[in-house]
Amino acid sequence: MARSRESEMNGAPPHILVVDDGITMRMFYRSVLEAAGFMVEEATNGMEGYEKVLAQPFDLMIVDINMPKMDGYSMIRTIRNDPAVRMIPAVVVSTEAAAKDSARALEAGANFYLVKPVAPEDLTEVVRMIVGVAA
Amino acid sequence: MVLVKAGGQRTLVLAEPSRDPAVLLADLSAAEPSVRRAAARDLAPHPEAAMALCDRLEVEASPSVRAVLLTSLIHLQSPTVAMRLASLLRSDDVPLRNAAIEALQEMPDAVAPHLRDLLADEDSDVRIFAVNILGALRHGQAPQWLTDVVRSDPHINVCAAAVDGLAEIGGPETLIDLEALRRRYEGNPFMEFAIDAAMRRIRGH
Amino acid sequence: MAALFATRQKDPSPAMTDEEYAKFCEFFYRKTGIQFQAGKKYFVDRRVADRIEKTCSESFRDYFTMVRFQVTGEELQFLVNAMTVNETYFFREDYQFDALIGGILPEVARSKRRNEPIRIWSIPCSSGEEPYSIAISILERWSQADSWNIEISASDIDSKILHEARTGLFGERSVSRVSAQLRSKYFLPRPDGSFQICDELRESIDFSLVNVVNPLHTHRFRDIDVIFCRNLLIYFDDVGRRETVEMFFDALSPGGFVCLGHSESMSRMSSIFLPRKFGETIVYQKPLSAE
């Protein structure tokens, strides 16, 4: 799972984009991930998420499925089709029944699938594994 | 000089003041997306076309035509239109159901009569979508309905969505129910965090 | 009365607590796409305080409830007016002209037949600074300019301001970012200190009165390659925005672009365009194929 991280070059902490239309969800991600030493940027739907990905480099994105304007699957698919940013790993987080939709998430290009509500330790563990930093 | 004045040489396309609704209805299934978009847009003043627009929405594959169909349905909003859109919340087509949620948020009076049923749906995801609609609905009753969800819905993610809505539109009268919910989910880090955040926002400090 | 006066003179206490401010910003962002930068709290707070006073609201909470639930959205409109500074000048937000010259036009040119003109639409054009800036940028900086016919249309809903745009008289402030060299090339200085744009430019731009939500006005705009629509949609409600960007979709050629103002994002309005990055700026593209 080792990857070359965008932030590794300049020694900055890994940069995580969280994309969710729920405000408390975004606050939760921020709180957990900042406590674990990551830098967090937020977007409120998939299209805004894609714009942020175009604007600055990220080491990982955490993406909700059901969002206005652009849903999570469409966002990840769009990013996987854009040569400039296609490599960013993606974790999908959703409420939907895991079996059916994890297949769908992987098909869209997600690397991992988490089911809400997410436990803080699961979140940090998955994020650490993907961006390749030790606890 | 490379700049060329536009108006003078462009063939002016004169807009027909009002096109025959029967032609427009036929155009809804034309092969060209631009023709379907124009038909969907021009049917916006025709309430009798609302069901035809709903029918088309269910089979329409082009995102831009879908967008225009929904905009026209927002103009033609009625409890019947809202019911047709609400049935899309069960759709497997993720962009379509999210677009339906956005359109329903624009029709408070039309969707209000259906919210009770949606909030009682046996599928917890449909209840979450109903809560999402409420969170952005310009309707004076919205905070009360969200409070009812927090009080009675058995599913954690439905309650979490309602907490989220209350963080945005809840008043101090909802605090007591949020406190009760916090006791219900004691020990769940996400729920504790979300409820505390919502209560802080509602208290305004 | 004297006491009241004295109270008013004091540094006013804030209208919003920090949490209320955060809540307000989230709401305002969701409704308008306008995001306040850090350090803007005083600016926002003073304007909200003013609206609280003008609407005779008891408190921020009362005022905020009204803004959120008012069916007409009228108060939100007042807030938007209060929060936006409506000024225009030559080469405003010029990073977008950089994107136009450096990325958008070359891309448009690649997929266009030589005998077809490149069409640009500036709406709202206000007193004309934007379409004239576009024209000057192309003439001065785009190396392929000589190989193409370029049509610039400019529209506004305000007939008085359109008249000003056609007349092309600008004050010192408006041309402050225009270099001396460009001033002498495209403007005639007038005895009263104002600047008259040259007739060649004035006559090359097609000015027209357009209300974007009136299909009879917008119907003739077709096969446009680039639309500049900056700081207009923030004044519209959600449905007005949907209708306007859907109208843009029909006005554009496949692969055509929309440029919005720097605080505006299509991600709050519609999903039918795709964000594209040119240099430091994000613009929105109508998909080339698959409609």
Side-chain angles (χ1 to χ4, degrees), chain A residues 97-133:
Chain A
K100 176 180 72 177
D101 285 287
S102 62
R104 217 172 184 182
L106 294 176
E107 190 189 314
N111 305 75
F112 279 88
Y113 190 94
L114 291 172
V115 177
K116 285 186 185 181
V118 179
E121 56 277 18
D122 291 350
L123 181 67
T124 45
E125 197 176 308
V126 166
V127 169
R128 280 191 178 122
M129 174 181 63
I130 296 175
V131 301
V133 291

Side-chain angles (χ1 to χ4, degrees), chain C residues 208-229:
Chain C
S208 59
L209 186 77
V210 165
N211 174 356
V212 287
V213 295
N214 186 334
L216 293 175
H217 288 182
T218 57
H219 203 276
R220 77 175 178 95
F221 292 90
R222 286 291 178 271
D223 305 320
I224 307 282
D225 297 295
V226 189
I227 294 174
F228 279 82
C229 179

Side-chain angles (χ1 to χ4, degrees), chain C residues 162-220:
Chain C
L162 265 179
H163 178 73
E164 283 178 30
R166 283 195 187 98
T167 309
L169 267 184
F170 300 98
E172 171 63 40
R173 198 180 139 71
S174 183
V175 299
S176 60
R177 301 188 62 185
V178 183
S179 70
Q181 186 243 332
L182 291 182
R183 280 191 203 186
S184 66
K185 191 165 173 187
Y186 293 102
F187 297 83
L188 273 176
R190 307 214 331 163
D192 63 358
S194 64
F195 295 83
Q196 167 75 58
I197 197 115
C198 68
D199 283 351
E200 236 177 344
L201 278 190
R202 221 160 56 83
E203 285 159 10
S204 68
I205 292 174
D206 174 38
F207 289 99
S208 59
L209 186 77
V210 165
N211 174 356
V212 287
V213 295
N214 186 334
L216 293 175
H217 288 182
T218 57
H219 203 276
R220 77 175 178 95

Side-chain angles (χ1 to χ4, degrees), chain A residues 26 44-45 48 51 54 69, chain C residues 29 267-268 271 277 284:
Chain A
R26 294 195 305 275
T44 63
N45 65 49
E48 195 186 335
E51 285 184 21
L54 291 178
K69 305 304 177 221
Chain C
Y29 180 44
S267 67
R268 304 266 135 191
S271 52
K277 189 185 184 200
Y284 301 91

